[in-house]
Amino acid sequence: MTATDPALTALADSWCALSVLHGRIEAHVERALQTGHDLSVREYSLLDVLSRQHDGEGGHLQMKQVADAVVLSQSATTRLVTRLEERDLLSRYLCPTDRRGIYTDVTAAGLALLEAARPTNNRALREALDLAALDPQLAPLVRAVEETRGPVGV
């Protein structure tokens, strides 16, 4: 294969289209969440991931698992957790069985904000996908997103 191989060019074009779709969706959702709830997409995602924890076996996520779920480095995730903790949206505590482990939970205020922001997130996502579907290059990707069900493994 060469750099001008049609298969590589098509692959690069597809990757570019996927990147454009992601950027448009994220920007649209970001504006809606910032305007309506003073939340970034990353903050919303972190609250959402942490709100799904439970007390059963494997129910609490380690910071690396959280970082993978919100697609950030561990250090960026830790800084994000700190910012949300300062806003009283998250709290941290020591793991009861392993004093080296630190867990993070969503506070009542964080859960309330998340529930208030969820319809905004969902509406903005739908709007962004509908707008992207009007672009012939993005329409197949929108269909693929709409046909995908369930969380992506991390």
Side-chain angles (χ1 to χ4, degrees), residues 124-153:
L125 176 58
R126 178 75 266 157
E127 290 167 0
L129 287 169
D130 289 346
L131 286 170
L134 299 174
D135 183 328
Q137 287 186 297
L138 300 180
L141 294 171
V142 171
R143 284 192 298 277
V145 168
E146 292 173 337
E147 292 170 1
T148 303
R149 299 287 182 251
V152 175

Side-chain angles (χ1 to χ4, degrees), residues 20-97:
V20 166
L21 177 63
H22 176 267
R24 287 183 185 179
I25 291 170
E26 189 169 56
H28 190 84
V29 173
E30 179 83 24
R31 283 189 301 274
L33 288 172
Q34 282 289 346
T35 300
H37 307 282
D38 193 29
L39 275 178
S40 71
V41 168
R42 298 285 190 211
E43 291 168 337
Y44 176 88
S45 295
L46 181 64
L47 288 172
D48 184 52
V49 165
L50 291 174
S51 75
R52 296 171 194 271
Q53 296 181 118
H54 56 83
D55 289 331
E57 186 175 333
H60 283 277
L61 301 173
Q62 297 172 347
M63 196 56 71
K64 177 168 182 0
Q65 294 169 304
V66 174
D68 289 345
V70 296
V71 194
L72 290 173
S73 68
Q74 280 187 258
S75 60
T77 302
T78 299
R79 288 190 301 274
L80 184 58
V81 165
T82 299
R83 282 197 311 271
L84 293 178
E85 188 177 35
E86 289 169 354
R87 291 175 57 188
D88 194 34
L89 302 174
L90 297 177
S91 64
R92 287 187 248 200
Y93 63 95
L94 290 176
C95 171
T97 58

Side-chain angles (χ1 to χ4, degrees), residues 2-24:
T2 66
T4 57
D5 184 303
L8 288 177
T9 300
L11 183 62
D13 289 347
S14 296
W15 175 249
C16 184
L18 182 59
S19 181
V20 166
L21 177 63
H22 176 267
R24 287 183 185 179

